[in-house]
Amino acid sequence: MKIVCIDGESQYAEIVRRDVIEPLRAAGHQLDWFEERFADEEATIARAQGYDAVYIIADQGPLPQKFLSSVPSLKLVSFVGTGAHRFVDVAEAESLGITVTNVPDFASRSVAEHAIALVFAVARRVTEGDRIVRAGEWAKHQGLKLRGRTLGVVGTGAIGREVIQMGAALGMDVVYWNRTVRPEIEAELPGRRVELDELFRVSDVVSLHLTHTPETEGLVSAELLGSLKPSAILVNTARAEILDHEALFALLRENRLFGAGLDVFETEPPALDQLPVDQPNLVLTPHVGFHTDEADEVFAIAGRNIVAFAEGNPTNVVRSADL
């Protein structure tokens, strides 16, 4: 098979060469790597002509709208990550006979640990303290102890469940909410299910773990954020689109929240003039929740999906009926 990666990024090039391009070559396939952007629709479509598959890193945004119907040779889209439906029209792909694969549950523990790291960073004012010491100053600001406080987890997917377990292990009282009730999963979780509005009212820490869909866009609204305790912390390692950032930033500026930690942004990298970077109670990280050596296996798994498809045994297929 001839495979193309159009949206490659230099930071991933060595990993992909070692874990994807070389194994594919050994199996008789060819992956061509380009560091371009999907924003230029015509150039993206032209680049893909003649290829059997496209390997999508997904840091550059979704495939152009006419891409699938404009590349007649395309048989497979191998998506590096879980949320393929955010970057590929799965239903259209099915109608065109194109298979879409993803990498389910590749970094749940890594992202969950990062969410907890952000909680600690905000609660114990780690970045603020770091700046104080580096400036040659000496000031001790009061932090929050987590044990005995209430952790609210929004979303009980693989990552959310990891956060629930870790929060309980820290001695926190856990409440959670999910768009759908899943009794078989929830029966094994510590804590209790509550409605979303109650979760925001009672939680000392809220951690967001929802995928971005039309139903979840803007779900964490100004009204919900306004119901948080003034001593509360909010952390988002999920998707920026589910959260009303302007409302969050207003609460931070008015000291109506203890703090927040963000690892995801609507535009990445974000424009600094759109962030309250002077707020000491806001901790920011550059979408690195899944960046661990273990989670980097995602690139290799997406490559193995290509080999399995070529051998007639497709794995990790994404189907529109399951979305």
Side-chain angles (χ1 to χ4, degrees):
M1 291 183 68
K2 285 185 62 180
I3 308 106
V4 63
C5 179
I6 301 169
D7 64 330
E9 289 202 16
S10 58
Q11 63 179 318
Y12 304 131
E14 180 56 28
I15 296 171
V16 172
R17 184 198 64 76
R18 181 193 68 212
D19 296 344
V20 183
I21 293 177
E22 292 300 332
L24 282 173
R25 182 178 294 135
H29 308 293
Q30 171 188 330
L31 190 152
D32 296 328
W33 173 270
F34 299 96
E35 296 181 10
E36 300 171 353
R37 302 187 69 87
F38 289 154
D40 188 330
E41 182 176 44
E42 291 185 6
T44 299
I45 291 171
R47 175 64 74 192
Q49 296 303 318
Y51 285 95
D52 304 302
V54 58
Y55 180 93
I56 300 181
I57 300 291
D59 278 4
Q60 303 290 356
L63 280 172
Q65 187 173 5
K66 297 178 182 178
F67 180 87
L68 296 175
S69 60
S70 301
V71 185
S73 59
L74 195 64
K75 304 179 183 68
L76 173 69
V77 175
S78 179
F79 181 77
V80 182
T82 55
H85 63 283
R86 299 183 65 246
F87 297 86
V88 184
D89 187 329
V90 177
E92 182 187 8
E94 289 174 342
S95 71
L96 294 168
I98 299 169
T99 299
V100 178
T101 61
N102 73 347
V103 183
D105 193 18
F106 71 94
S108 299
R109 182 70 184 196
S110 295
V111 177
E113 287 183 359
H114 192 72
I116 295 296
L118 286 175
V119 172
F120 271 112
V122 176
R124 300 315 301 266
R125 307 174 84 146
V126 172
T127 56
E128 183 181 356
D130 178 79
R131 288 192 293 266
I132 288 170
V133 176
R134 289 177 186 273
E137 301 171 0
W138 198 253
K140 301 180 181 181
H141 298 155
Q142 204 77 353
L144 295 179
K145 185 181 76 171
L146 297 178
R147 184 179 180 86
R149 295 185 186 270
T150 300
L151 168 65
V153 178
V154 181
T156 59
I159 299 171
R161 295 197 299 273
E162 290 278 4
V163 172
I164 289 169
Q165 297 287 357
M166 285 190 277
L170 290 170
M172 302 185 76
D173 298 321
V174 181
V175 295
Y176 54 83
W177 174 87
N178 197 62
R179 289 181 60 234
T180 56
V181 179
R182 298 186 287 185
E184 70 286 354
I185 290 176
E186 294 173 2
E188 299 179 358
L189 294 175
R192 60 190 177 91
R193 178 188 175 89
V194 297
E195 294 303 318
L196 188 60
D197 56 350
E198 180 182 351
L199 184 148
F200 274 78
R201 287 198 313 272
V202 304
S203 296
D204 299 294
V205 177
V206 173
S207 191
L208 306 180
H209 301 286
L210 293 174
T211 58
H212 173 222
T213 67
E215 292 75 26
T216 62
E217 181 157 350
L219 180 68
V220 183
S221 62
E223 182 179 2
L224 280 177
L225 292 169
S227 68
L228 287 167
K229 303 174 184 178
S231 59
I233 293 169
L234 182 131
V235 165
N236 188 12
T237 55
R239 293 294 174 185
E241 294 86 353
I242 68 177
L243 172 65
D244 185 332
H245 286 86
E246 288 307 312
L248 174 66
F249 296 158
L251 292 173
L252 293 173
R253 291 189 186 99
E254 297 163 10
N255 291 316
R256 291 170 56 197
L257 284 182
F258 187 86
L262 302 177
D263 186 49
V264 288
F265 308 89
E266 290 187 24
T267 301
E268 296 184 350
L272 292 184
D273 60 0
Q274 297 178 6
L275 297 172
V277 293
D278 57 338
Q279 286 296 128
N281 56 350
L282 176 62
V283 177
L284 306 170
T285 55
H287 203 163
V288 293
F290 75 94
H291 278 261
T292 62
D293 289 343
E294 293 80 7
D296 281 347
E297 177 73 0
V298 64
F299 297 101
I301 296 171
R304 292 197 288 271
N305 286 342
I306 295 172
V307 175
F309 176 84
E311 293 176 346
N313 299 300
T315 56
N316 298 322
V317 176
V318 180
R319 296 179 173 84
S320 60
D322 297 330
L323 299 176

